[in-house]
Amino acid sequence: MNYENVMRIPSLKKIVISAGATGVELEKAQKLLEIVSKKKAQIIKSGPKTRIPAFSVNPDMPLGTRVTLRGKEAVELLKTLLDAIDNTLNENQIQNNHFSFGIQEYVNVPGIKYVREIGIKGFNVTVVFERAGVRVKKKKIKQGKIPIRQIVSKEEIINFMKTKLNSVIFKLKMGERI
């Protein structure tokens, strides 16, 4: 797409790598994310009043782990993770402002070898896009509203992935390339 206004160009804001687990599996998932991202993983807990007896979820219970990356290291890691899925995405994985995909086994990621203590595990990757000016909505003092045109559309994300990262996008129903 050709943008006349430089402020309209979408940019990659962050990548969030996450894995859900409890108990001993949580420690393995945390080690896995630290190996993949080379950053310290954060533990995700349930809310202080959250209680779901059907899933054995108690208040403040550790439920998973995640790592957030920004900037150049996020782009480099995204290229590596896209290689693990053959640089292809399904159109249904892409939404406004973000897209997500899963990696079933971490050994598929180039440059990462099997670690016996971790075993075979997978993780999720979420890539978030943003335009300049969204900070107005997120700031604490003098918070403002942003118009709908600030949303990075699905088509813009598809175009970004094709041009910048040479990704292939498929439609699920027909199996054809876009």
Side-chain angles (χ1 to χ4, degrees):
M1 292 184 168
N2 190 9
Y3 295 98
E4 292 179 15
N5 188 347
V6 180
M7 299 295 281
R8 300 283 303 149
I9 299 173
S11 63
L12 189 129
K13 182 186 177 198
K14 64 182 175 180
I15 296 176
V16 180
I17 306 169
S18 62
T22 57
V24 178
E25 292 297 316
L26 179 63
E27 294 172 9
K28 292 179 182 179
Q30 189 174 10
K31 286 180 187 175
L32 169 63
L33 295 186
E34 288 174 357
I35 289 170
V36 170
S37 67
K38 299 177 180 72
K39 299 286 180 187
K40 190 171 186 314
Q42 173 187 12
I43 300 292
I44 303 168
K45 293 184 177 182
S46 64
K49 295 183 180 181
T50 303
R51 186 179 309 274
I52 308 171
F55 295 114
S56 302
V57 174
N58 297 322
D60 292 325
M61 180 180 173
L63 295 175
T65 182
R66 71 176 167 214
V67 177
T68 303
L69 297 164
R70 292 180 169 83
K72 291 179 183 176
E73 60 187 12
V75 174
E76 294 301 317
L77 183 64
L78 177 61
K79 289 177 183 176
T80 306
L81 295 176
L82 284 171
D83 285 342
I85 58 168
D86 298 326
N87 209 6
T88 59
L89 291 171
N90 190 329
E91 185 182 20
N92 294 344
Q93 294 171 317
I94 303 171
Q95 301 295 321
N96 288 341
N97 293 332
H98 73 280
F99 70 87
S100 299
F101 61 93
I103 296 180
Q104 303 236 338
E105 298 177 359
Y106 71 93
V107 292
N108 294 338
V109 178
I112 296 181
K113 295 182 178 164
Y114 178 75
V115 179
R116 189 179 184 106
E117 296 86 43
I118 296 174
I120 297 294
K121 288 191 79 55
F123 55 93
N124 302 316
V125 180
T126 301
V127 182
V128 180
F129 290 87
E130 194 174 79
R131 289 191 206 282
V134 175
R135 184 182 148 276
V136 171
K137 176 183 170 185
K138 297 180 180 177
K139 62 185 182 178
K140 192 171 183 178
I141 298 173
K142 291 193 176 182
Q143 183 178 8
K145 295 181 180 178
I146 59 170
I148 293 175
R149 67 177 181 263
Q150 283 294 100
I151 293 173
V152 180
S153 70
K154 185 175 182 175
E155 292 76 27
E156 289 176 307
I157 293 174
I158 289 171
N159 187 35
F160 181 92
M161 294 302 293
K162 283 182 178 178
T163 57
K164 304 271 179 166
L165 299 172
N166 299 322
S167 294
V168 178
I169 313 294
F170 286 98
K171 286 187 178 181
L172 184 63
K173 292 181 182 176
M174 312 252 184
E176 62 187 41
R177 294 180 183 190
I178 297 178

